[in-house]
Structures are given as C-alpha cells and as structure tokens.
C-alpha cells in the first residue's frame, strides 16, 4: 500500500507574490551578477533556496504577538515572555538575548576562552570558529571521519569522536581546553545530526575532566527530529522532550534564532551557570544593549517567544524535514548525484559528479548554481572551491573534496509543488549536463570571496547554461 501523503500542517493566510521571469531576463540577470547567485537582486529570483537563515514564514500567532511588544528600555514584559519560553523549552535558567547568533558567540568566546586554549568542535561553523579564534582559541575538529566522506551514508555524521577528544587531552591536558563547542545538525557537514547515545557518552567523558559542553544549539530541533525518527527508544517521545534531554547534557548554549526559532532576526545565550550569565550580561551592555532587549525590539522578543514554542510541535518539524527529503528523493530517483543521507535543512547536489567533464578549477558548483538559476529562476549557493578560498601560504586555491551546490529550504515558505519545480529543473539540467560550461573568475575579493567574486563563461556561447 502506498504511504499516505502528509500535508503541510498550516493554511496559507497571506501570500507574497513571487517574481516570474523569462529565460532572456534571467540570462541578462546572471550576466549582470557575474555568474554569482549572491549578487542577484532578489527581484530577479523565483524560488529562493540561497539560505534558511532568517527566511522563515512567521505564523499568525507570532505576528499578533508582535503587536503586544513592550518597547520599554528596561524590564520589558516581552523579555519576560521570551525568558519563560526558553526556560521551558530549552531548560536553561538564565537567558541573554542578542541581535543574532554570532553576537552570542562573540560574548561566549570572549568570556570562556583564554588565549591559546583549544575549542573542540564537531566540524565547524564559520562564525562560531571565527569568534573562537578572535578570542585566541584554537579550533580542533572532533567530528567522526564519516562526516568528511560524501559517499558515507552513516546516519549520525554529526557525531563526536571521543578518541579525537582523548588524544587532545592526552597531548595537552584538560586545562588546555576552554569548553566543548558542539553543534546539533552540523551545517557544514550538510545538516547531519548526532545521536543521543553519542552526546550522552561525550557528556560522561567530559564530566571526568570537568569540561563543560556549550552547544551551538541553532539547529537542535532538527536534530531532535532525527533522533525521534532514527534512534532506538525515541520513536514515541515528543521532539520537545528529546530537545530538553539533549540540552540537559550542556552547561549552556548559543542560538541563532534565524533558524529553528522561526523568526527573521534574533539570537540568545542561555545557561545554568550563574557566573557565566552574569559576565555575559556585563559584556552585553557594551556590545548589544540592556539584558532585557539585547539589540532587539520588544516585538522581536515576542515573535521569538512564540516561535520557540511552535518549533517543537511534532507535526511542524516532521513536515519541515520531510519536505527536504521529498526534494532529495525526487533527485535521487532520477539519478541526480546528491549527498546522502539528506540533511535537516538542505539538499546538496554533488557538482563534481554532476559535471564530471569540468575540472575543479573551472568551478563546477558555481557553474551549476548559475545554470540552475538561468533554467528556472531557482537560486542556490556554491559550496566548493570558491567558498574554500585560497591557502594563506601558497596562495593557490584550496581544493576541497566536496564540490557542492546547496539547495536550502526556508521554513514554512514553499509548498511541495515548489519542490517539484526545483527537482524538474535539476533533472532537466542533469539530462543535458554536458552542455554546461565552466567559468573563469574575473574578480576575486581577498576574503570570503564567494560573496562577491565575479565570473565569466569560458566559452562565450555558453551563456550560463
Ligand atoms: C547561522 C548560524 C550561526 C550564526 O548565527 P547568525 O544569526 O547568522 O549570526 C551559528 N551557528 C550555526 C550552526 C548557524 O547555522
């Protein structure tokens, strides 16, 4: 029997018309943007899968809560509402709001890292690592090897390798480590989760050395869903209770509310360590504002408070993750090369396999993202040689093993019919893949080049396709 369809658990009450463009218009737009999807004006973009950060659709309950925002400079009622929601859902006593996730990372790194200390992370996230390094910390990758292998279908590619942690302690002593910075649903590994068994074992190991865990809990709800659907003993547990158990292994967390929390801006640090909370609030007033608003408007705090409760509704989070898999499965069924298992927030096209006729120095993922836009107006992003930048010593390109195009799915924004359009476009391109030409870089910024680099087709006739 065919499994029954599960529809999105929401009705659409308000719509945002989406730009509809012709192919000649898109050819002109990609030329104007230097074949870089980051440089496209959003008015020229149809289905926008550039990122799931801050692109969520808010609910009617969130919008109505915003009208009740208390904009008092100090002692805002809206902060009290947010504090209550975070205490209940994440289980941490002290709550410090910030304008977004990286601000919470900045304060945490400044307070908790002494120069020269190691900060083990399961892979890394760009801003988390950058703030740890700015505070004098040394990044140490402790993720399992499977995470670095695009062919591995291991279901827990976000797991922490305790042997790698042990090696660090054996070599430098536990006091050389500031804290364990652990991220659920590891973004840079493709949105891959850790298991509860793993985090439990890591926490037990860390306790032996008195090492705190501070989660980058930005994508903790997506990870909790994978635990519910994959890990033995969790099928009948609610995502809310799984999240609470997971957070229980940490001393605190930093969060970008632009992801799980279903708002367009915001973040926070939360902890059970009163001393850490006090120091964070002291720095907060220098960089963000009073501890009862932290760089946000009262209405933003209200929207976050409601979003934090909505994100753990089982039907919602199941529908989100299944929509990602729905897109991935269509591509896989048509033989389009993708990274597996499908992650929590995105499907990654394997551009190296997709465009096997292009050498990596002709920027296959960049070429594929541009071709996808020209074909259907769908905007994706390159995660390959362009994003990897240059080696600071040799100045040659870093040539990462993974040459990917990321199709990131915003929350509650698109229907599965939109996913069908994306899949059709990817499949059509795959069927004519040898027609997709390589690119050459004609402008290269010195740092974070992927945001602003400009390209031209190697063969003039091959306009983006
Ligand atoms: C987005 C993100 C951040 C940074 O948060 P911002 O709100 O963009 O500053 C940190 N960690 C992870 C895992 C993220 O996805």
């Amino acid at each position: 029997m065919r499994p029954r369809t599960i529809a999105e658990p929401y009705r659409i009450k308000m719509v945002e018309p989406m730009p509809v463009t012709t192919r000649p218009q898109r050819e002109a737009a990609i030329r104007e943007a230097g074949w870089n999807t980051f440089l496209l004006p959003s008015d020229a973009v149809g289905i926008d899968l550039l990122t799931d950060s801050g692109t969520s659709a808010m609910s009617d309950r969130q919008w109505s809560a915003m009208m009740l925002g208390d904009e008092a400079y100090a002692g805002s009622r809206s902060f009290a509402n947010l504090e209550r929601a975070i205490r209940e859902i994440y289980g941490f006593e002290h709550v410090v709001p910030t304008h977004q996730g990286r601000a919470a990372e900045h304060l945490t790194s400044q307070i908790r890292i002494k120069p020269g200390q190691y900060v083990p992370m399961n892979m890394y996230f760009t801003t988390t690592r950058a703030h740890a390094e700015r505070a004098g910390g040394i990044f140490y990758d402790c993720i399992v090897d499977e995470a670095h292998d695009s062919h591995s279908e291991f279901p827990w590619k976000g797991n922490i390798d305790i042997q790698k942690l042990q090696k660090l302690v054996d070599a430098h002593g536990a006091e050389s480590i500031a804290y364990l910075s652990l991220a659920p649903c590891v973004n840079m590994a493709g949105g891959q989760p850790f298991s509860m068994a793993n985090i439990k074992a890591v926490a037990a190991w860390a306790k032996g050395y008195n090492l705190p865990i501070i989660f980058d809990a930005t994508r903790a709800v997506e990870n909790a869903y994978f635990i519910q659907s994959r890990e033995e003993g969790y099928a009948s547990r609610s995502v809310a209770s799984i999240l609470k158990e997971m957070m229980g292994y940490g001393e605190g967390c930093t969060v970008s509310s632009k992801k799980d929390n279903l708002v367009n801006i915001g973040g926070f640090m939360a902890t059970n360590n009163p001393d850490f909370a006090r120091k964070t609030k002291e720095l907060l007033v220098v960089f963000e504002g009073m501890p009862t608003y932290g760089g946000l408007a009262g209405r933003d705090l209200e929207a976050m408070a409601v979003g934090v409760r909505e994100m753990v509704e089982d039907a919602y989070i199941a529908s989100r993750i299944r929509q990602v898999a729905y897109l991935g499965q269509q591509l896989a069924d048509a033989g389009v090369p993708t990274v597996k298992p499908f992650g929590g927030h995105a499907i990654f096209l394997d551009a190296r396999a997709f465009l096997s006729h292009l050498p990596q120095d002709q920027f296959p993922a960049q070429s594929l993202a541009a071709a996808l836009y020209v074909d259907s107006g769908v905007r994706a992003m390159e995660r390959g040689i362009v994003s990897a930048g240059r080696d600071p010593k040799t100045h040659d390109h870093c040539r990462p093993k993974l040459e990917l195009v990321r199709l990131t799915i915003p929350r509650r924004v698109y229907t599965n019919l939109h996913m069908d359009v994306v899949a059709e476009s990817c499949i059509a391109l795959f069927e004519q893949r040898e027609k997709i030409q390589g690119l050459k870089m004609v402008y290269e910024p010195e740092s974070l080049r992927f945001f602003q680099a400009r390209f031209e087709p190697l063969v003039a006739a091959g306009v983006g396709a």
Side-chain angles (χ1 to χ4, degrees):
M1 216 170 53
R2 268 185 63 188
R4 300 291 286 264
T5 301
I6 298 174
E8 293 86 348
Y10 43 83
R11 281 186 282 265
I12 297 166
K13 182 176 281 186
M14 186 170 68
V15 297
E16 174 188 345
M18 199 166 76
V20 177
T21 52
T22 63
R23 189 180 173 98
Q25 285 171 335
R26 294 192 294 273
E27 284 173 350
I30 200 75
R31 190 177 309 117
E32 192 83 0
W35 279 264
N36 185 346
T37 53
F38 277 102
L39 299 178
L40 288 166
S42 67
D43 282 349
V45 174
I47 299 170
D48 198 347
L49 306 186
L50 190 71
T51 176
D52 67 334
S53 178
T55 53
S56 301
M58 293 209 299
S59 68
D60 53 356
R61 284 174 275 171
Q62 286 177 292
W63 281 108
S64 55
M66 285 185 85
M67 295 301 288
L68 302 174
D70 175 2
E71 307 300 345
Y73 191 87
S76 163
R77 173 183 67 238
S78 301
F79 171 71
N81 288 340
L82 175 66
E83 185 180 49
R84 206 174 315 115
I86 291 173
R87 281 178 180 165
E88 275 177 43
I89 304 294
Y90 288 86
F92 294 114
E93 178 62 19
H94 307 281
V95 177
V96 183
T98 57
H99 79 278
Q100 55 185 83
R102 68 196 71 185
E105 292 170 347
H106 166 224
L107 304 175
T108 298
S109 301
Q110 291 297 324
I111 291 164
R112 301 299 294 262
I113 301 171
K114 290 193 212 103
Q117 276 189 316
Y118 289 95
V119 188
M121 302 182 189
N122 48 343
M123 208 168 254
Y124 68 94
F125 186 74
T126 49
T127 59
T128 323
R129 179 176 173 173
H131 279 295
E133 288 175 345
R134 280 177 63 90
I138 304 165
F139 161 73
Y140 179 83
D141 187 8
C142 63
I143 203 165
V144 292
D145 289 340
E146 286 91 338
H148 293 284
D149 175 6
S150 70
H151 299 294
S152 162
E153 298 206 17
F154 184 54
W156 306 110
K157 280 179 167 180
N159 272 3
I160 292 96
D161 186 336
I162 296 179
Q163 283 177 347
K164 290 182 185 171
L165 292 173
Q166 188 66 56
K167 235 168 133 178
L168 187 64
V169 168
D170 291 346
H172 302 282
E175 58 300 334
S176 75
I177 298 174
Y179 55 88
L180 308 183
S181 171
L182 304 182
C185 260
V186 181
N187 192 339
M188 302 301 273
Q192 300 294 332
F194 53 54
S195 69
M196 195 73 92
N198 178 251
I199 214 66
K200 212 180 210 163
V202 172
W205 175 89
K207 205 165 173 206
Y209 293 103
N210 230 342
L211 284 172
I213 293 173
I214 300 177
F215 287 113
D216 173 355
T218 297
R219 299 170 185 281
V221 181
E222 291 169 359
N223 200 124
Y225 173 77
F226 282 119
I227 290 173
Q228 186 192 55
S229 61
R230 287 180 190 167
E231 192 163 352
E232 213 183 305
Y234 288 93
S236 61
R237 293 264 304 270
S238 68
V239 161
S241 83
I242 295 171
L243 174 68
K244 198 89 162 267
E245 179 184 340
M246 184 198 296
M247 290 296 108
Y249 295 114
E251 183 197 286
C253 66
T254 58
V255 169
S256 165
S257 297
K258 302 173 73 171
K259 324 289 172 51
D260 273 353
N261 293 172
L262 294 164
V263 290
N264 305 116
I265 195 72
F268 64 88
M269 188 285 278
T271 182
N272 284 329
N273 176 340
D275 186 51
F276 178 26
R278 183 184 48 77
K279 287 182 179 153
T280 307
K281 286 178 194 172
E282 280 175 17
L283 262 195
L284 190 79
V285 293
V286 180
F287 288 100
E288 299 283 296
M290 280 290 282
T292 54
Y293 74 85
L296 293 163
R299 54 182 171 272
D300 296 328
L301 302 172
E302 293 284 355
M304 277 168 70
V306 177
V308 160
R309 294 180 191 282
E310 289 182 345
M311 73 182 182
V312 290
E313 288 170 9
D314 289 286
Y316 151 69
I317 187 66
S319 130
R320 155 144 184 84
I321 307 277
R322 284 184 204 186
Q323 183 171 56
V324 176
Y326 173 83
L327 171 61
Q329 198 56 48
Q330 288 196 57
L331 297 174
D333 289 347
V336 176
T338 58
V339 177
K340 277 179 245 166
F342 305 133
H345 67 297
I347 294 298
F348 291 79
L349 302 176
D350 181 352
R352 190 191 280 275
F354 196 117
L355 300 180
S356 53
H357 60 288
L358 296 187
Q360 196 170 21
D361 285 26
Q362 292 184 16
F363 312 111
Q366 189 79 29
S367 308
L368 183 54
L372 179 65
Y373 170 72
V374 171
D375 184 70
S376 57
V378 172
R379 173 156 69 170
M381 99 158 60
E382 192 259 13
R383 283 277 105 136
I385 185 169
V386 182
S387 297
R390 285 183 187 274
D391 184 304
K393 285 199 194 99
T394 64
H395 287 282
D396 192 10
H397 296 300
C398 296
R399 291 186 179 74
K401 267 193 266 175
L402 299 179
E403 179 71 25
L404 308 174
V405 171
R406 188 178 89 177
L407 303 164
T408 334
I409 317 299
R411 295 165 186 77
R412 303 194 295 205
V413 172
Y414 296 110
T415 66
N416 281 0
L417 215 46
H418 290 111
M419 296 303 113
D420 291 349
V421 169
V422 176
E424 278 172 21
S425 181
C426 293
I427 294 165
L429 290 171
F430 187 62
E431 283 165 355
Q432 313 171 51
R433 54 191 175 277
E434 65 290 339
K435 286 196 195 148
I436 299 175
Q437 314 279 356
L439 296 168
K440 62 172 185 243
M441 205 186 310
V442 294
Y443 166 65
E444 180 176 358
E446 250 176 57
S447 70
L448 298 176
R449 63 182 184 177
F450 58 94
F451 283 127
Q452 301 196 78
R454 300 183 70 86
F455 300 82
E456 274 173 15
L458 275 170
V459 181
V463 183

